């Protein structure tokens, strides 16, 4: 026995035409909108938009910048994703008491060397975490 039958839950015909006085399709009026389309596309997009608005309101600009710059520290799958400028900016803006100007310049140099080493060393291609990188 199906769960829906056991609990007397009506299942709508997903291929039926969707009709609502509140619903205004984004497409031309002559296109047919099914119940399935409404739930899979229109309602889904509306839900994602609301979640994005909620996330946008939870984080201020400084927190968003920290998250964006911090993403430069994610495991490297592609050297193109490795952004030396973002890593140095992260250090300058959010960790100024930990690094002197000379150390930031040295960091940039070391990161550039790492980028070259990454391209030339086949063992680094399999690294997927910072812990694995440290052991290499």
């Amino acid at each position: 026995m199906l769960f829906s039958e056991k609990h007397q839950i009506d299942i709508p015909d997903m291929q039926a035409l969707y009709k609502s006085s509140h619903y205004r399709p984004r497409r031309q009026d002559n296109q047919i909108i099914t119940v399935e389309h409404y739930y899979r596309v229109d309602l889904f997009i509306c839900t994602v938009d609301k979640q994005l608005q909620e996330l946008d309101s939870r984080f201020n600009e400084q927190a968003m910048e920290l998250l964006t710059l911090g993403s430069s520290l994610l495991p490297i799958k592609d050297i193109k994703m490795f952004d030396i400028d973002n890593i140095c900016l992260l250090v300058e803006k959010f960790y100024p008491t930990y690094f002197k100007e000379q150390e930031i310049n040295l960091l940039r140099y070391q990161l550039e060397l790492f980028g070259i080493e990454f391209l030339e060393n086949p063992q680094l291609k399999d690294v997927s975490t910072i812990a694995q990188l440290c052991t290499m």
Side-chain angles (χ1 to χ4, degrees), residues 62-74:
Q62 189 176 12
M64 288 301 294
E65 185 177 23
L66 177 62
L67 290 171
T68 303
L69 294 174
S71 69
S72 300
L73 299 172
L74 292 174

Side-chain angles (χ1 to χ4, degrees), residues 2 34 42 52 58 63 80-81 96 116:
L2 292 173
T34 63
D42 296 333
L52 286 173
R58 286 186 185 232
K80 294 173 191 162
M81 300 293 290
I116 294 167

Side-chain angles (χ1 to χ4, degrees), residues 69-87:
L69 294 174
S71 69
S72 300
L73 299 172
L74 292 174
I76 301 167
K77 297 276 188 212
D78 184 8
I79 196 65
K80 294 173 191 162
M81 300 293 290
F82 183 68
D83 192 342
I84 294 171
D85 293 330
N86 278 350
I87 295 172

Side-chain angles (χ1 to χ4, degrees), residues 2-58:
L2 292 173
F3 178 84
S4 56
E5 291 173 358
K6 181 179 177 182
H7 297 284
Q8 299 175 345
I9 299 172
D10 292 332
I11 299 176
D13 177 13
M14 299 304 275
Q15 299 307 315
L17 293 178
Y18 181 80
K19 295 180 183 179
S20 172
S21 59
H22 302 292
Y23 177 70
R24 296 189 70 176
R26 296 179 182 175
R27 294 171 193 81
Q28 299 171 351
D29 290 343
N30 61 357
Q31 284 192 320
I32 298 170
I33 303 298
T34 63
V35 173
E36 180 179 20
H37 179 274
Y38 173 73
Y39 284 108
R40 285 187 180 239
V41 178
D42 296 333
L43 195 60
F44 176 77
I45 289 172
C46 182
T47 304
V48 170
D49 284 344
K50 286 185 180 189
Q51 288 177 338
L52 286 173
Q53 288 173 0
E54 185 177 328
L55 286 172
D56 282 343
S57 67
R58 286 186 185 232

